[in-house]
Amino acid sequence: MKVTEIVFHDSGRATLIVEMPDTAPFTTEDRPHIPRILFRLMPQMAAQHCFNDEGLSFGREAQATEIPHLFEHLIMEIQNQVRRGVGAPLSGETRWNWTVDPRGRFYVTVDYDHEVVALGAIRLAECLINSLDRRDIAHVDMAREIGRLREIAKLCRRLN
């Protein structure tokens, strides 16, 4: 998975273009280890609210969803951990249209408070998803990275 474009809108939303290689599976059904390990690292993600056709919790939805959809929820969870639950809930959306775009291109939209913190959350989530896919997460220290993003968020609040 690769984020190829990030656009920050004045409305506090960012739109990402996420590309999945044609040869790689796009869903967690084909990569069940990704949500399984992710929910061990971040168990609170499984309880996230998710708007889906069946009305499933995100924990259930994540068993058979697109990897960029999992990525969307991870970005929101990282930002929520930085925010420590303060502020209005963040939301996001994942969509695609392979009749217009190449197969494997997804558009992920997420809310944010501060562009710099959101960019850090996006890059951390991208690194984590790819590391989980390779089953090589030893080099990702989530507590340290969340702590760094909290420090950046404090600086952003002081500057505003």
Side-chain angles (χ1 to χ4, degrees), residues 19-57:
E19 303 282 350
M20 296 292 293
D22 265 345
T23 57
F26 300 158
T27 70
T28 57
E29 285 178 301
D30 297 314
R31 296 281 208 257
H33 64 280
I34 295 175
R36 187 175 58 247
I37 298 168
L38 181 59
F39 291 158
R40 272 191 244 137
L41 289 171
M42 304 179 124
Q44 61 280 11
M45 271 187 70
Q48 282 184 355
H49 189 69
C50 181
F51 295 102
N52 54 66
D53 294 336
E54 289 80 33
L56 302 172
S57 69

Short mmCIF file of all heavy atoms in Angstrom, two decimals, residues 19-57:
data_model
loop_
_atom_site.label_atom_id
_atom_site.label_comp_id
_atom_site.label_asym_id
_atom_site.label_seq_id
_atom_site.Cartn_x
_atom_site.Cartn_y
_atom_site.Cartn_z
N GLU A 19 -2.74 3.75 -3.33
CA GLU A 19 -2.58 2.78 -4.42
C GLU A 19 -2.21 1.42 -3.83
O GLU A 19 -1.31 1.32 -2.99
CB GLU A 19 -1.48 3.22 -5.39
CG GLU A 19 -1.68 4.59 -5.99
CD GLU A 19 -2.67 4.64 -7.12
OE1 GLU A 19 -3.11 3.57 -7.60
OE2 GLU A 19 -3.02 5.76 -7.53
N MET A 20 -2.94 0.41 -4.27
CA MET A 20 -2.61 -0.97 -3.93
C MET A 20 -2.03 -1.61 -5.18
O MET A 20 -2.62 -1.46 -6.26
CB MET A 20 -3.87 -1.72 -3.48
CG MET A 20 -4.53 -1.20 -2.22
SD MET A 20 -3.57 -1.44 -0.73
CE MET A 20 -3.62 -3.21 -0.58
N PRO A 21 -0.93 -2.32 -5.07
CA PRO A 21 -0.38 -2.97 -6.27
C PRO A 21 -1.39 -3.94 -6.87
O PRO A 21 -2.12 -4.62 -6.14
CB PRO A 21 0.84 -3.73 -5.74
CG PRO A 21 1.12 -3.16 -4.40
CD PRO A 21 -0.15 -2.58 -3.88
N ASP A 22 -1.43 -4.00 -8.19
CA ASP A 22 -2.35 -4.91 -8.89
C ASP A 22 -2.19 -6.36 -8.45
O ASP A 22 -3.15 -7.11 -8.41
CB ASP A 22 -2.13 -4.84 -10.40
CG ASP A 22 -3.08 -3.86 -11.06
OD1 ASP A 22 -4.07 -3.46 -10.42
OD2 ASP A 22 -2.82 -3.49 -12.21
N THR A 23 -0.97 -6.73 -8.12
CA THR A 23 -0.70 -8.12 -7.76
C THR A 23 -1.03 -8.43 -6.31
O THR A 23 -1.09 -9.59 -5.93
CB THR A 23 0.78 -8.45 -8.02
OG1 THR A 23 1.59 -7.53 -7.26
CG2 THR A 23 1.11 -8.33 -9.50
N ALA A 24 -1.24 -7.39 -5.49
CA ALA A 24 -1.49 -7.61 -4.06
C ALA A 24 -2.99 -7.72 -3.80
O ALA A 24 -3.79 -7.04 -4.43
CB ALA A 24 -0.91 -6.45 -3.25
N PRO A 25 -3.38 -8.55 -2.84
CA PRO A 25 -4.79 -8.59 -2.43
C PRO A 25 -5.18 -7.25 -1.81
O PRO A 25 -4.38 -6.60 -1.16
CB PRO A 25 -4.83 -9.70 -1.38
CG PRO A 25 -3.57 -10.47 -1.55
CD PRO A 25 -2.56 -9.52 -2.13
N PHE A 26 -6.44 -6.86 -2.02
CA PHE A 26 -6.92 -5.57 -1.54
C PHE A 26 -7.69 -5.69 -0.24
O PHE A 26 -8.03 -4.68 0.36
CB PHE A 26 -7.86 -4.93 -2.55
CG PHE A 26 -7.25 -4.65 -3.89
CD1 PHE A 26 -8.07 -4.50 -4.99
CD2 PHE A 26 -5.89 -4.52 -4.07
CE1 PHE A 26 -7.53 -4.22 -6.24
CE2 PHE A 26 -5.34 -4.25 -5.30
CZ PHE A 26 -6.17 -4.11 -6.39
N THR A 27 -8.03 -6.91 0.18
CA THR A 27 -8.93 -7.05 1.32
C THR A 27 -8.28 -7.80 2.49
O THR A 27 -7.34 -8.57 2.31
CB THR A 27 -10.22 -7.78 0.94
OG1 THR A 27 -9.93 -9.14 0.67
CG2 THR A 27 -10.90 -7.13 -0.26
N THR A 28 -8.88 -7.59 3.65
CA THR A 28 -8.41 -8.28 4.85
C THR A 28 -8.79 -9.75 4.83
O THR A 28 -8.21 -10.54 5.58
CB THR A 28 -8.97 -7.61 6.11
OG1 THR A 28 -10.40 -7.60 6.03
CG2 THR A 28 -8.44 -6.19 6.26
N GLU A 29 -9.74 -10.13 3.99
CA GLU A 29 -10.05 -11.56 3.85
C GLU A 29 -8.83 -12.31 3.33
O GLU A 29 -8.58 -13.45 3.71
CB GLU A 29 -11.21 -11.78 2.88
CG GLU A 29 -12.56 -11.44 3.46
CD GLU A 29 -13.65 -11.62 2.44
OE1 GLU A 29 -13.61 -10.97 1.37
OE2 GLU A 29 -14.55 -12.43 2.73
N ASP A 30 -8.08 -11.65 2.45
CA ASP A 30 -6.86 -12.25 1.89
C ASP A 30 -5.64 -12.03 2.78
O ASP A 30 -4.62 -12.69 2.59
CB ASP A 30 -6.58 -11.66 0.50
CG ASP A 30 -7.69 -11.99 -0.48
OD1 ASP A 30 -8.12 -13.16 -0.52
OD2 ASP A 30 -8.13 -11.07 -1.19
N ARG A 31 -5.74 -11.09 3.69
CA ARG A 31 -4.65 -10.76 4.62
C ARG A 31 -5.18 -10.68 6.05
O ARG A 31 -5.09 -9.64 6.69
CB ARG A 31 -4.02 -9.41 4.24
CG ARG A 31 -3.35 -9.36 2.89
CD ARG A 31 -1.98 -10.01 3.03
NE ARG A 31 -1.03 -9.49 2.09
CZ ARG A 31 -0.66 -10.14 0.99
NH1 ARG A 31 -1.20 -11.29 0.71
NH2 ARG A 31 0.25 -9.63 0.20
N PRO A 32 -5.75 -11.77 6.58
CA PRO A 32 -6.41 -11.71 7.89
C PRO A 32 -5.45 -11.39 9.04
O PRO A 32 -5.90 -10.94 10.10
CB PRO A 32 -7.03 -13.10 8.05
CG PRO A 32 -6.25 -13.98 7.14
CD PRO A 32 -5.81 -13.11 6.00
N HIS A 33 -4.16 -11.59 8.83
CA HIS A 33 -3.20 -11.29 9.89
C HIS A 33 -3.10 -9.79 10.15
O HIS A 33 -2.75 -9.38 11.26
CB HIS A 33 -1.82 -11.87 9.56
CG HIS A 33 -1.19 -11.28 8.34
ND1 HIS A 33 -1.55 -11.68 7.06
CD2 HIS A 33 -0.24 -10.33 8.19
CE1 HIS A 33 -0.83 -11.00 6.18
NE2 HIS A 33 -0.03 -10.17 6.84
N ILE A 34 -3.42 -8.96 9.17
CA ILE A 34 -3.28 -7.51 9.36
C ILE A 34 -4.24 -7.01 10.44
O ILE A 34 -3.78 -6.43 11.44
CB ILE A 34 -3.44 -6.74 8.03
CG1 ILE A 34 -2.29 -7.10 7.08
CG2 ILE A 34 -3.48 -5.23 8.28
CD1 ILE A 34 -2.41 -6.47 5.69
N PRO A 35 -5.57 -7.20 10.33
CA PRO A 35 -6.43 -6.71 11.43
C PRO A 35 -6.22 -7.47 12.73
O PRO A 35 -6.33 -6.90 13.81
CB PRO A 35 -7.85 -6.90 10.89
CG PRO A 35 -7.74 -7.89 9.80
CD PRO A 35 -6.35 -7.74 9.22
N ARG A 36 -5.90 -8.77 12.65
CA ARG A 36 -5.71 -9.55 13.87
C ARG A 36 -4.56 -8.97 14.70
O ARG A 36 -4.71 -8.73 15.91
CB ARG A 36 -5.43 -11.01 13.50
CG ARG A 36 -5.38 -11.94 14.70
CD ARG A 36 -5.21 -13.41 14.31
NE ARG A 36 -4.00 -13.65 13.52
CZ ARG A 36 -3.99 -14.03 12.23
NH1 ARG A 36 -5.12 -14.23 11.58
NH2 ARG A 36 -2.85 -14.23 11.61
N ILE A 37 -3.43 -8.69 14.07
CA ILE A 37 -2.28 -8.13 14.80
C ILE A 37 -2.57 -6.68 15.20
O ILE A 37 -2.24 -6.25 16.31
CB ILE A 37 -0.99 -8.24 13.96
CG1 ILE A 37 -0.66 -9.70 13.67
CG2 ILE A 37 0.18 -7.57 14.69
CD1 ILE A 37 0.44 -9.90 12.62
N LEU A 38 -3.19 -5.92 14.29
CA LEU A 38 -3.50 -4.52 14.57
C LEU A 38 -4.39 -4.38 15.80
O LEU A 38 -4.15 -3.54 16.66
CB LEU A 38 -4.16 -3.87 13.36
CG LEU A 38 -4.50 -2.39 13.51
CD1 LEU A 38 -3.26 -1.56 13.79
CD2 LEU A 38 -5.20 -1.90 12.25
N PHE A 39 -5.41 -5.23 15.92
CA PHE A 39 -6.31 -5.15 17.06
C PHE A 39 -5.64 -5.60 18.35
O PHE A 39 -6.08 -5.23 19.43
CB PHE A 39 -7.61 -5.91 16.81
CG PHE A 39 -8.49 -5.28 15.76
CD1 PHE A 39 -9.43 -6.03 15.09
CD2 PHE A 39 -8.38 -3.94 15.43
CE1 PHE A 39 -10.26 -5.47 14.13
CE2 PHE A 39 -9.19 -3.35 14.47
CZ PHE A 39 -10.14 -4.12 13.82
N ARG A 40 -4.59 -6.39 18.25
CA ARG A 40 -3.80 -6.71 19.46
C ARG A 40 -3.00 -5.48 19.89
O ARG A 40 -2.86 -5.23 21.08
CB ARG A 40 -2.86 -7.88 19.21
CG ARG A 40 -3.53 -9.21 19.48
CD ARG A 40 -2.52 -10.34 19.50
NE ARG A 40 -2.85 -11.22 18.38
CZ ARG A 40 -2.01 -11.78 17.54
NH1 ARG A 40 -0.72 -11.60 17.67
NH2 ARG A 40 -2.43 -12.54 16.57
N LEU A 41 -2.50 -4.73 18.93
CA LEU A 41 -1.74 -3.51 19.23
C LEU A 41 -2.64 -2.38 19.71
O LEU A 41 -2.26 -1.60 20.57
CB LEU A 41 -0.98 -3.03 17.99
CG LEU A 41 0.20 -3.83 17.52
CD1 LEU A 41 0.68 -3.33 16.17
CD2 LEU A 41 1.33 -3.76 18.54
N MET A 42 -3.82 -2.28 19.09
CA MET A 42 -4.75 -1.18 19.37
C MET A 42 -6.16 -1.74 19.53
O MET A 42 -7.01 -1.59 18.65
CB MET A 42 -4.69 -0.16 18.23
CG MET A 42 -3.31 0.37 17.98
SD MET A 42 -3.31 1.54 16.64
CE MET A 42 -2.59 2.93 17.48
N PRO A 43 -6.44 -2.41 20.65
CA PRO A 43 -7.74 -3.08 20.82
C PRO A 43 -8.94 -2.15 20.75
O PRO A 43 -10.02 -2.57 20.35
CB PRO A 43 -7.62 -3.75 22.19
CG PRO A 43 -6.46 -3.12 22.86
CD PRO A 43 -5.56 -2.57 21.81
N GLN A 44 -8.77 -0.89 21.11
CA GLN A 44 -9.88 0.05 21.07
C GLN A 44 -10.39 0.30 19.66
O GLN A 44 -11.52 0.72 19.47
CB GLN A 44 -9.50 1.37 21.77
CG GLN A 44 -8.35 2.10 21.15
CD GLN A 44 -6.97 1.58 21.52
OE1 GLN A 44 -6.80 0.51 22.10
NE2 GLN A 44 -5.95 2.33 21.16
N MET A 45 -9.59 0.01 18.64
CA MET A 45 -10.03 0.20 17.26
C MET A 45 -11.22 -0.68 16.91
O MET A 45 -12.08 -0.29 16.13
CB MET A 45 -8.90 -0.11 16.27
CG MET A 45 -8.03 1.06 15.96
SD MET A 45 -6.86 0.67 14.65
CE MET A 45 -7.95 0.55 13.23
N ALA A 46 -11.25 -1.88 17.46
CA ALA A 46 -12.34 -2.82 17.14
C ALA A 46 -13.71 -2.27 17.53
O ALA A 46 -14.72 -2.63 16.93
CB ALA A 46 -12.09 -4.16 17.81
N ALA A 47 -13.74 -1.37 18.50
CA ALA A 47 -15.01 -0.81 18.97
C ALA A 47 -15.41 0.47 18.23
O ALA A 47 -16.47 1.02 18.49
CB ALA A 47 -14.92 -0.51 20.47
N GLN A 48 -14.58 0.92 17.30
CA GLN A 48 -14.90 2.14 16.56
C GLN A 48 -16.23 1.99 15.82
O GLN A 48 -16.58 0.91 15.37
CB GLN A 48 -13.82 2.47 15.53
CG GLN A 48 -12.59 3.09 16.08
CD GLN A 48 -11.61 3.46 14.96
OE1 GLN A 48 -11.81 3.17 13.79
NE2 GLN A 48 -10.54 4.11 15.35
N HIS A 49 -16.92 3.10 15.70
CA HIS A 49 -18.16 3.12 14.92
C HIS A 49 -17.80 3.11 13.44
O HIS A 49 -16.83 3.76 13.03
CB HIS A 49 -18.98 4.37 15.27
CG HIS A 49 -20.34 4.34 14.67
ND1 HIS A 49 -21.31 3.47 15.09
CD2 HIS A 49 -20.88 5.06 13.67
CE1 HIS A 49 -22.40 3.66 14.37
NE2 HIS A 49 -22.17 4.63 13.50
N CYS A 50 -18.54 2.38 12.66
CA CYS A 50 -18.28 2.29 11.23
C CYS A 50 -19.61 2.27 10.49
O CYS A 50 -20.50 1.49 10.82
CB CYS A 50 -17.49 1.01 10.92
SG CYS A 50 -17.08 0.82 9.18
N PHE A 51 -19.75 3.16 9.52
CA PHE A 51 -20.95 3.17 8.69
C PHE A 51 -20.73 2.18 7.56
O PHE A 51 -19.89 2.39 6.70
CB PHE A 51 -21.22 4.57 8.13
CG PHE A 51 -21.54 5.57 9.20
CD1 PHE A 51 -20.58 6.46 9.63
CD2 PHE A 51 -22.80 5.60 9.77
CE1 PHE A 51 -20.87 7.38 10.62
CE2 PHE A 51 -23.10 6.52 10.76
CZ PHE A 51 -22.13 7.40 11.19
N ASN A 52 -21.46 1.07 7.59
CA ASN A 52 -21.35 0.06 6.55
C ASN A 52 -22.74 -0.52 6.28
O ASN A 52 -23.67 -0.32 7.05
CB ASN A 52 -20.33 -1.03 6.93
CG ASN A 52 -20.63 -1.66 8.27
OD1 ASN A 52 -21.64 -2.33 8.45
ND2 ASN A 52 -19.74 -1.44 9.23
N ASP A 53 -22.87 -1.21 5.18
CA ASP A 53 -24.17 -1.70 4.73
C ASP A 53 -24.84 -2.64 5.73
O ASP A 53 -26.06 -2.67 5.83
CB ASP A 53 -24.05 -2.41 3.37
CG ASP A 53 -23.66 -1.44 2.27
OD1 ASP A 53 -23.91 -0.22 2.43
OD2 ASP A 53 -23.09 -1.90 1.27
N GLU A 54 -24.05 -3.42 6.46
CA GLU A 54 -24.62 -4.39 7.41
C GLU A 54 -24.75 -3.84 8.82
O GLU A 54 -25.23 -4.54 9.71
CB GLU A 54 -23.76 -5.67 7.44
CG GLU A 54 -23.87 -6.51 6.18
CD GLU A 54 -23.00 -5.95 5.05
OE1 GLU A 54 -21.93 -5.39 5.35
OE2 GLU A 54 -23.40 -6.06 3.89
N GLY A 55 -24.28 -2.62 9.09
CA GLY A 55 -24.35 -2.05 10.43
C GLY A 55 -23.43 -2.73 11.42
O GLY A 55 -23.70 -2.75 12.62
N LEU A 56 -22.32 -3.30 10.93
CA LEU A 56 -21.38 -4.03 11.78
C LEU A 56 -20.47 -3.09 12.55
O LEU A 56 -20.18 -1.98 12.10
CB LEU A 56 -20.51 -4.95 10.92
CG LEU A 56 -21.22 -5.98 10.06
CD1 LEU A 56 -20.23 -6.67 9.12
CD2 LEU A 56 -21.92 -7.00 10.94
N SER A 57 -19.99 -3.53 13.71
CA SER A 57 -18.93 -2.80 14.40
C SER A 57 -17.69 -2.84 13.52
O SER A 57 -17.58 -3.70 12.63
CB SER A 57 -18.61 -3.45 15.74
OG SER A 57 -17.97 -4.71 15.52
#
